[in-house]
Amino acid sequence: MENIIKDIDIISTAGQENCDFKTTADENTGQIKKLYIESYGCQMNFSDSEIVASIMKKNGFDTTSDFNNADVIFLNTCSIRDKAEQTVRKRLSQFNQVKAGNPELTIGVLGCMAERLKDKLLEEEKLVDLVVGPDAYRDLPNLVAQADEGMKGVNTFLSREETYADISPVRLNSNGVSAFISIMRGCDNMCSFCVVPFTRGRERSRDPHSIVKEARDLFQKGYREVTLLGQNVDSYKWSPEENNKARLNKKGEAVTEVIHFADLLAMVAEIDPRLRVRFSTSHPKDITDEVLYTMKAHDNICKYIHLPVQSGNSRILSLMNRTYDREWYLERVQKIREILGEECGISSDMIAGFCSETEAEHQDTLSIMDLVQYDFSYMFYYSERPGTLAAKKYADDIPLSVKKRRLQEIIARQNELSLLRNRMDIEQVQEILIEGQSKRSADQLKGRNSANKVVIVPAGKLAAGDYARVKITDCSSATLFGELVN
Ligand code: SAH
Ligand code: SF4
Ligand code: F3S
């Protein structure tokens, strides 16, 4: 099992690969050509597809949900584990047939796999016309035009500046209530197992004013929740000087202070108390007390932190180059509990069977889960990625059967913990934001509480985007059930 899908919905976070893919919707704004995008991987990739759609729209393309109708097909791909790449390879072979029936069709591979494999992908996948990495999307219209002339193209240039700050994304997969906003790109952390620093390049932060503007526009359009995305949001840092943008205050004086993540969070939260603010992903080495106090000070900053531990054992954490140990992690969790209380949701990512992991070290992962009591986790077994530090330095020496067994134990433990944590919510009155109809029944609505748990309620007179006060009456390990209260 690659990923844990919540009962009702897939919750994905920055850098968190979904086992699902998302496609573009039908849009008819009178453009001549049709673009179909299929997006794999994490929320950042989905967010990038919205930027791609926006760039292409300005160049004569409406989106379509039917690849048979498309003039251009883009696959926005993920490299995080081998399985993610295999899925895309299979999909490309299916598109072979589509292209056989329509030789005019342009097929582009975008995203992390494009960046990792570069022109090798053109050699290996004969039907592919374009290979374009995450920082080169402004070049897409040009590359598509060249492909129309029969020229294949590759642009995998990684930038130190590109943040697409000026591009307003076309909201492709939105429920009209919650939206994702990328606040930074890339990652400088070099965890030894991880391919992201190679596929996404150096870390850079986006201009905070463009972020606030995007959030405000969304609020004015009726959105009620934004999730600020980055691989490591706690290292968000923007200084006007570095970016050659002297800001002026009301008196016309240059403002030079550096903006950190806690400042940005407050800026977005202060747009309107009815706009919920979430963020992901927090890195245990960087999450600051200021961020926790900022969360506490604003009711509309959701009390939920995705704090991936990866392993509960300090030796393994050191081999993973995570730069914290078990004690450091537990201290951060204690601080979260101290400042934000028991009700703050905490989730994690876990890797089973990393290089040289012993049974006792695996037990440390299970025991840290017990200590933290995660609300839920995304759990994986280790998949060696070419070019990473771990691939170069350590043998991938845990047999697949052992990796899978350890993963099963982690999943089983998480299911118990999720149920335990959900039961604690029973009898509580919580505020939820309604996202839409429940997939289970037309008489039920689906919402989310502050801690990011899905809550199912009877439909009543509520609509998507409404806040409701709900008493929790029942739960499963994945979902809460409630009734409306006044
Ligand atoms: N930036 C985030 C995570 C990004 S990748 C962070 O630092 O927490 C999302 C998750 O995929 C990781 O947290 C990790 O658990 C998992 N992952 C990454 N590389 C992997 C690999 N080579 N094998 C298995 N799981 C991996
Ligand atoms: Fe990968 Fe580590 Fe960066 Fe997360 S922080 S994206 S796991 S290198
Ligand atoms: Fe995301 Fe996958 Fe790339 S998880 S950053 S799309 S490797």
Side-chain angles (χ1 to χ4, degrees):
M1 195 164 172
E2 264 280 90
N3 206 336
I4 283 294
I5 302 178
K6 303 277 281 187
D7 209 1
I8 307 284
D9 201 4
I10 297 164
I11 296 176
S12 89
T13 62
Q16 190 66 65
E17 169 219 0
N18 273 320
C19 55
D20 244 7
F21 62 80
K22 289 190 178 177
T23 67
T24 38
D26 291 307
E27 206 193 23
N28 285 306
T29 64
Q31 307 276 23
I32 299 164
K33 293 186 185 166
K34 292 282 183 199
L35 166 69
Y36 172 84
I37 314 180
E38 208 166 272
S39 314
Y40 294 81
C42 63
Q43 202 55 60
M44 298 218 95
N45 242 21
F46 298 152
S47 165
D48 279 3
S49 291
E50 297 183 333
I51 289 167
V52 169
S54 173
I55 292 172
M56 295 298 285
K57 195 172 179 174
K58 289 208 181 78
N59 287 273
F61 285 84
D62 270 336
T63 55
T64 172
S65 62
D66 179 2
F67 55 76
N68 289 305
N69 271 339
D71 301 284
V72 172
I73 294 179
F74 287 153
L75 261 74
N76 194 358
T77 61
C78 173
S79 283
I80 199 83
R81 284 167 288 276
D82 185 52
K83 213 168 162 188
E85 291 202 356
Q86 293 313 324
T87 311
V88 169
R89 297 274 188 182
K90 270 191 219 127
R91 195 61 174 156
L92 279 173
S93 66
Q94 289 167 355
F95 283 139
N96 245 327
Q97 287 151 16
V98 186
K99 186 139 179 174
N102 176 10
E104 300 288 291
L105 178 68
T106 298
I107 297 187
V109 176
L110 319 185
C112 291
M113 212 173 146
E115 191 62 51
R116 193 177 87 72
L117 295 164
K118 303 190 169 55
D119 38 4
K120 239 168 71 190
L121 209 51
L122 281 188
E123 287 160 29
E124 290 167 5
E125 303 285 346
K126 295 293 176 218
L127 84 157
V128 171
D129 303 294
L130 303 176
V131 175
V132 186
D135 285 346
Y137 295 150
R138 288 182 203 265
D139 199 21
L140 279 170
N142 173 34
L143 291 166
V144 168
Q146 281 180 18
D148 287 344
E149 306 293 317
M151 269 179 293
K152 295 199 172 202
V154 179
N155 187 344
T156 50
F157 173 75
L158 282 176
S159 161
R160 275 172 175 263
E161 286 98 35
E162 181 63 271
T163 59
Y164 300 109
D166 56 314
I167 295 179
S168 4
V170 172
R171 300 289 161 185
L172 294 174
N173 311 108
S174 168
N175 53 10
V177 177
S178 47
F180 292 85
I181 302 180
S182 291
I183 62 163
M184 51 207 296
R185 299 182 71 83
C187 183
D188 282 352
N189 279 319
M190 288 300 190
C191 301
S192 65
F193 52 79
C194 185
V195 78
V196 172
F198 304 96
T199 63
R200 296 248 154 196
R202 297 304 297 270
E203 187 178 282
R204 64 221 99 115
S205 299
R206 179 177 162 191
D207 184 332
H209 308 95
S210 76
I211 297 168
V212 172
K213 182 178 177 301
E214 191 173 327
R216 189 176 291 125
D217 288 349
L218 285 164
F219 181 73
Q220 279 160 2
K221 286 185 183 133
Y223 284 81
R224 289 294 173 263
E225 183 177 273
V226 292
T227 303
L228 308 179
L229 290 178
Q231 294 297 354
N232 177 3
V233 290
D234 302 285
S235 63
Y236 179 90
K237 182 169 176 261
W238 195 86
S239 83
E241 278 170 342
E242 268 172 45
N243 291 278
N244 294 323
K245 279 189 191 142
R247 271 201 308 130
L248 301 180
N249 65 15
K250 284 182 188 148
K251 290 185 199 152
E253 300 152 344
V255 182
T256 53
E257 87 273 25
V258 175
I259 294 182
H260 293 105
F261 183 60
D263 310 315
L264 179 71
L265 253 186
M267 286 162 78
V268 178
E270 278 154 26
I271 290 173
D272 195 292
R274 287 166 299 165
L275 180 69
R276 274 187 170 181
V277 187
R278 298 186 183 279
F279 55 89
S280 188
T281 295
S282 303
H283 196 299
K285 82 174 158 72
D286 291 323
I287 188 166
T288 59
D289 293 355
E290 285 74 51
V291 167
L292 303 178
Y293 285 119
T294 305
M295 289 174 76
K296 189 182 167 76
H298 295 85
D299 284 343
N300 58 331
I301 302 180
C302 290
K303 304 300 178 274
Y304 163 66
I305 300 174
H306 184 56
L307 195 69
V309 70
Q310 314 296 357
S311 163
N313 175 268
S314 294
R315 187 186 75 90
I316 294 294
L317 286 169
S318 157
L319 293 185
M320 286 177 164
N321 202 24
R322 288 290 285 182
T323 67
Y324 55 84
D325 60 12
R326 181 180 171 100
E327 284 63 43
W328 172 277
Y329 186 92
L330 287 171
E331 188 279 331
R332 289 288 80 201
V333 170
Q334 202 189 338
K335 206 70 192 180
I336 293 170
R337 294 280 172 243
E338 197 181 300
I339 297 172
L340 297 169
E342 269 309 308
E343 61 275 18
C344 181
I346 304 181
S347 62
S348 185
D349 295 348
M350 244 81 68
I351 299 179
F354 187 66
C355 313
S356 79
E357 184 188 67
T358 65
E359 283 304 324
E361 288 164 342
H362 163 60
Q363 289 298 327
D364 285 345
T365 297
L366 295 173
S367 77
I368 207 167
M369 292 174 73
D370 286 340
L371 287 171
V372 180
Q373 302 209 336
Y374 294 112
D375 292 86
F376 59 93
S377 295
Y378 301 93
M379 298 156 280
F380 316 95
Y381 63 76
Y382 174 57
S383 164
E384 185 178 87
R385 308 311 295 131
T388 56
L389 209 68
K392 287 182 191 151
K393 270 173 77 178
Y394 313 123
D396 180 12
D397 54 359
I398 307 300
L400 186 60
S401 58
V402 176
K403 285 180 182 173
K404 286 188 174 172
R405 193 253 305 145
R406 288 182 190 169
L407 177 61
Q408 279 314 320
E409 289 173 10
I410 291 173
I411 292 173
R413 185 66 56 96
Q414 184 55 58
N415 285 342
E416 287 168 24
L417 290 171
S418 295
L419 188 60
L420 191 99
R421 285 284 297 173
N422 284 353
R423 281 197 182 131
M424 285 168 59
D425 286 7
I426 292 179
E427 293 295 313
Q428 276 185 21
V429 174
Q430 303 180 341
E431 181 175 67
I432 68 167
L433 174 61
I434 304 289
E435 291 178 2
Q437 213 170 47
S438 155
K439 282 181 194 143
R440 293 180 174 183
S441 139
D443 305 331
Q444 290 180 319
L445 292 172
K446 183 190 101 168
R448 219 172 273 267
N449 71 9
S450 178
N452 208 27
K453 292 181 189 174
V454 171
V455 185
I456 303 295
V457 291
K461 287 184 189 141
L462 294 164
D466 288 345
Y467 285 100
R469 270 163 60 79
V470 166
K471 183 170 168 190
I472 307 300
T473 52
D474 197 5
C475 72
S476 68
S477 64
T479 313
L480 300 175
F481 301 90
E483 57 192 31
L484 302 170
V485 294
N486 295 318

